[in-house]
């Protein structure tokens, strides 16, 4: 037998304990010894260089993937908090912070006659009540002025002039009623193919613009419009003048703007929301 390697054993050697400590083998940790090179985190069966996350068969530098970057074909992971802002209830209103106008099921009889069968109805809106400010103020003013004038003329024993004042008041009130009726029949319409404006009582006017032709769209709000929640929409089409360019005094302009833009750029999202609502309605009817 050969002699062991290294210097001979000397009990009085001051460096003996240090050499023994440096050459002592590192023991393998047990699973209950905590993190290290055992079965816990590290080079073990757990996280890191293991069969799970890290260098294991899962995503990481081992297994079938063997790549550091995420697969571009893999769908992104969306948390529940992010999905909360995209969910809607049965009426079409989102459950998150974003507010979108609810989708109507059927057009009114006034609008249905202007839609062709393959067109999908998205909604119709009357103009904001601020549109009636001028005729209402004129009616109120005429009531006070002509009422005072009629009382004054009645005391002067001039019956003919009093009759003229009363007839004039009826004429002004008739004009106000006409303007209110015109406001009621004035509609802004959105479908999956175009935007339309229909107005007029005796003479009907129908203006429309295909969504594919809209090159730019914006809305403007004055300070009063921001306070009362109305605005003016401006539609551009390839830099050309068109019948439907400026639509004034539309209600909820921000929500309506989102509705039109979503229909222009994300029609699949609208269809998916409508399909989900129809399925939920059928489920409720079945229950």
């Amino acid at each position: 037998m050969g002699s062991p390697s290294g210097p001979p054993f000397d009990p009085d050697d001051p460096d003996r304990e240090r050499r023994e400590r440096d050459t002592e083998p590192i023991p393998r940790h047990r699973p209950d010894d905590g993190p290290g090179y055992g079965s816990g985190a590290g080079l073990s069966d757990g996280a890191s260089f293991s069969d799970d996350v890290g260098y294991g068969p899962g995503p990481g530098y081992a297994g079938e993937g063997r790549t550091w970057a995420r697969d571009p074909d893999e769908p992104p992971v969306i948390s529940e908090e992010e999905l909360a802002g995209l969910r809607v209830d049965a009426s079409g209103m989102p459950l998150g912070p974003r507010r979108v106008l609810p989708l109507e099921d059927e057009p009114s009889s006034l609008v249905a006659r202007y839609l062709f069968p393959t067109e999908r109805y998205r909604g119709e809106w009357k103009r904001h009540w601020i549109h009636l400010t001028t005729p209402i103020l004129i009616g109120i003013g005429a009531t006070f002025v002509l009422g005072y004038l009629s009382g004054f003329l009645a005391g002067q024993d001039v019956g003919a002039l009093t009759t003229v004042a009363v007839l004039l008041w009826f004429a002004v009130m008739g004009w106000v009623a006409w303007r209110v009726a015109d406001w009621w029949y004035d509609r802004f319409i959105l479908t999956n193919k175009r935007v339309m404006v229909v107005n007029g009582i005796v003479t009907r006017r129908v203006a429309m613009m295909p969504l594919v032709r809209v090159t730019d769209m914006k809305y403007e709000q004055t300070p009063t419009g921001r306070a009362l929640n109305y605005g003016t929409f401006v539609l551009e089409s390839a830099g050309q003048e068109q019948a439907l360019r400026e639509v004034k005094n539309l209600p909820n302009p921000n929500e309506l703007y989102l509705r039109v833009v979503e229909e222009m750029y994300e029609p699949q999202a609208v269809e998916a929301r409508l399909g989900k609502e129809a399925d939920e309605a059928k489920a409720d009817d079945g229950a």
Side-chain angles (χ1 to χ4, degrees), residues 65-82:
R66 296 186 180 276
T67 176
W68 289 101
R70 184 177 63 84
D71 188 355
D73 297 330
E74 181 183 353
V77 179
I78 304 177
S79 64
E80 288 295 326
E81 291 79 6
E82 295 172 323

Side-chain angles (χ1 to χ4, degrees), residues 102-129:
L103 293 172
E104 291 81 3
D105 295 331
E106 297 292 336
S108 64
S109 58
L110 174 67
V111 173
R113 69 186 70 177
Y114 302 107
L115 305 180
F116 52 88
T118 59
E119 197 170 18
R120 302 203 178 200
Y121 171 79
R122 295 299 188 233
E124 60 185 85
W125 297 269
K126 294 190 294 290
R127 296 180 192 259
H128 194 270
W129 59 263

Side-chain angles (χ1 to χ4, degrees), residues 18-129:
R18 179 180 58 79
R19 287 198 303 271
E20 291 178 354
R21 184 173 63 252
D22 294 341
T23 57
E24 182 179 359
I26 298 176
R28 177 178 175 84
H29 284 245
R30 297 194 180 106
D32 56 353
D33 289 338
Y37 294 90
S39 301
L43 300 172
S44 61
D45 295 334
S48 187
F49 298 90
S50 61
D51 293 337
D52 295 320
V53 182
Y55 291 88
Y61 198 73
E64 298 180 358
R66 296 186 180 276
T67 176
W68 289 101
R70 184 177 63 84
D71 188 355
D73 297 330
E74 181 183 353
V77 179
I78 304 177
S79 64
E80 288 295 326
E81 291 79 6
E82 295 172 323
L83 287 174
L86 302 177
R87 295 192 178 99
V88 296
D89 58 18
S91 64
M93 295 296 291
L95 300 177
R98 179 190 165 191
R99 183 162 63 96
V100 181
L101 294 171
L103 293 172
E104 291 81 3
D105 295 331
E106 297 292 336
S108 64
S109 58
L110 174 67
V111 173
R113 69 186 70 177
Y114 302 107
L115 305 180
F116 52 88
T118 59
E119 197 170 18
R120 302 203 178 200
Y121 171 79
R122 295 299 188 233
E124 60 185 85
W125 297 269
K126 294 190 294 290
R127 296 180 192 259
H128 194 270
W129 59 263

